Amino acid sequence: WAVKIIIDAIKTNSRWNVQFLRKSNGLFNQQKRTTLKNEINDASLLIFINENNLKFSQNEKKIIENFHKTDGGLIFFGKPISTLSNLTPVQNSKINSSFETTFSTTKNCSKYETFNIFSKTKNIPPVRYFYVNPKVQSEILAKFNNDEKSAAIILNDERNTWHFAFTNFWKWQL
């Protein structure tokens, strides 16, 4: 469901192309086995959704790093991907479990027009979230409504990377 919502959102802009790749004992474009190198030639943004333990090979990691070095944007959802930790605006926390709550935007969020969609977070259903530790150069745009007020949406604008420390946003479509 998360993938469907992202694809539908991207398709609302006719200038953007979207292609979904699934990683499960290999990389697949629909039902065909493929390679990352063949699939990202025309991409300007890679979106990763990690609900468990998504991992990339050294070769795939190098391809993603090269993509990012040439101004490719990266968006991460869910649990941090350990094999791509050098690219993300967050670090793994020692807490591996997920939890559920809502989130609220911070003052930093208002600086970015893109994130105006989160201005009415009272209407957003709870999400499944992971604890993350924002890196020093990152900005926190939203915090979870938990006791710790932990980071929910983290941006490193300089490096063109975002991390949404949650999944289950398919509920937003309901």
Side-chain angles (χ1 to χ4, degrees), residues 25-71:
N25 294 326
L27 192 64
F28 295 86
N29 181 347
Q30 296 177 5
Q31 300 301 320
K32 296 178 190 172
R33 186 177 285 273
T34 188
T35 64
L36 188 58
K37 189 173 185 173
N38 291 340
E39 299 295 337
I40 68 169
N41 291 334
D42 297 326
S44 57
L45 174 69
L46 298 179
I47 300 172
F48 302 91
I49 302 172
N50 185 23
E51 294 188 353
N52 292 309
N53 291 308
L54 184 61
K55 292 184 183 351
F56 290 93
S57 69
Q58 283 297 85
N59 185 47
E60 291 169 329
K61 178 182 177 180
K62 189 172 189 148
I63 291 167
I64 295 166
E65 287 173 338
N66 288 338
F67 169 84
H68 189 243
K69 283 179 188 171
T70 58
D71 292 330

Side-chain angles (χ1 to χ4, degrees), residues 103-121 124 138-144 152-155 157 162-164 166 172:
F103 63 87
S104 300
T105 57
T106 65
K107 290 177 187 174
N108 291 342
C109 194
S110 62
K111 295 190 297 187
Y112 303 95
E113 190 174 322
T114 304
F115 293 102
N116 284 343
I117 60 169
F118 296 118
S119 62
K120 294 182 173 71
T121 54
I124 296 176
S138 299
E139 258 185 289
I140 298 173
L141 304 183
K143 292 183 178 185
F144 292 116
I153 301 173
I154 305 94
L155 167 70
D157 200 25
W162 299 268
H163 192 100
F164 296 76
F166 54 85
W172 299 359

Side-chain angles (χ1 to χ4, degrees), residues 50 52-55 78-86 88-97 130-135 163 165:
N50 185 23
N52 292 309
N53 291 308
L54 184 61
K55 292 184 183 351
K79 192 175 184 179
I81 302 170
S82 59
T83 52
L84 299 178
S85 62
N86 61 317
T88 67
V90 300
Q91 296 173 331
N92 258 326
S93 78
K94 302 288 183 213
I95 302 169
N96 288 317
S97 299
F130 298 89
Y131 281 95
V132 297
N133 297 318
K135 292 180 180 173
H163 192 100

